[in-house]
Amino acid sequence: RPVMAISITLQEYMKNQGVNFDLEHHRHTFNSASTAEAAHVPGADLAKGVLVDDGMGYLLAVIPATHRLNLEMLRRTLHRPVELATEGELEDLFPDCEIGAVPPLGSAFGLETVVDQELMGRPDIWFEAGDHEDLVHISGASFRSLMGSATRAEISTQR
């Protein structure tokens, strides 16, 4: 497979936003819990993007890896119905990312974003770089800045 390391879209976006970041390589993983373990990162500091469909378009819900997206809480926050998007939809929206390695910066991909309040106070944040072997590490302050206009709400529950 091609070595991706970091999505070009993501890299350009962070550069344009003036955000400093480190890339941390880890063994290939298949879910966020094993990613946190492989990279020796607290799961609560690993931000995970979950793509949802509201019938008119897509938005990105961003939650800690230790949590599960609660669709009912998200629906109440947005005041509209939402469902999980399919893998095919992920491919179209994140063409330079591997399936399931969606970076949590919806704005980089032109998506409305809702971020779980739980992530907003963290001193450091890690997230998928666009593949299953690299994490982006940024300061919590940079993360809050990158979340800009994202809606902040409680949208997940502990696993």
Side-chain angles (χ1 to χ4, degrees):
R1 77 175 179 85
V3 175
M4 301 214 298
I6 184 170
S7 144
I8 302 301
T9 309
L10 182 64
Q11 192 169 359
E12 289 296 308
Y13 182 76
M14 290 198 302
K15 198 172 98 185
N16 292 339
Q17 299 292 317
V19 169
N20 293 322
F21 65 92
D22 302 312
L23 267 187
E24 298 190 18
H25 192 74
H26 60 83
R27 69 178 159 73
H28 190 92
T29 55
F30 295 96
N31 61 46
S32 49
S34 53
T35 299
E37 187 184 312
H40 308 291
V41 169
D45 296 346
L46 182 61
K48 175 171 96 165
V50 181
L51 188 69
V52 295
D53 180 350
D54 70 359
M56 294 180 299
Y58 300 97
L59 61 125
L60 199 62
V62 180
I63 63 172
T66 50
H67 286 54
R68 175 177 284 119
L69 178 64
N70 183 314
L71 285 171
E72 200 41 54
M73 291 166 95
L74 184 57
R75 289 177 189 124
R76 281 200 303 269
T77 297
L78 297 170
H79 308 291
R80 61 185 191 257
V82 289
E83 297 301 331
L84 292 175
T86 65
E87 284 198 348
E89 293 166 314
L90 282 172
E91 267 181 285
D92 296 340
L93 289 166
F94 301 93
D96 60 354
C97 297
E98 286 181 24
I99 295 275
V102 174
L105 304 182
S107 45
F109 298 88
L111 294 169
E112 177 186 347
T113 305
V114 181
V115 60
D116 195 290
Q117 199 61 49
E118 192 75 26
L119 287 165
M120 299 313 288
R122 300 279 171 202
D124 288 274
I125 293 285
W126 283 264
F127 55 85
E128 296 283 6
D131 66 11
H132 293 281
E133 294 175 6
D134 295 280
L135 286 180
V136 171
H137 171 228
I138 59 176
S139 70
S142 291
F143 180 74
R144 289 185 287 282
S145 157
L146 288 171
M147 285 297 123
S149 63
T151 302
R152 292 153 168 76
E154 280 186 46
I155 56 168
S156 68
T157 46
Q158 192 98 25
R159 281 192 178 279

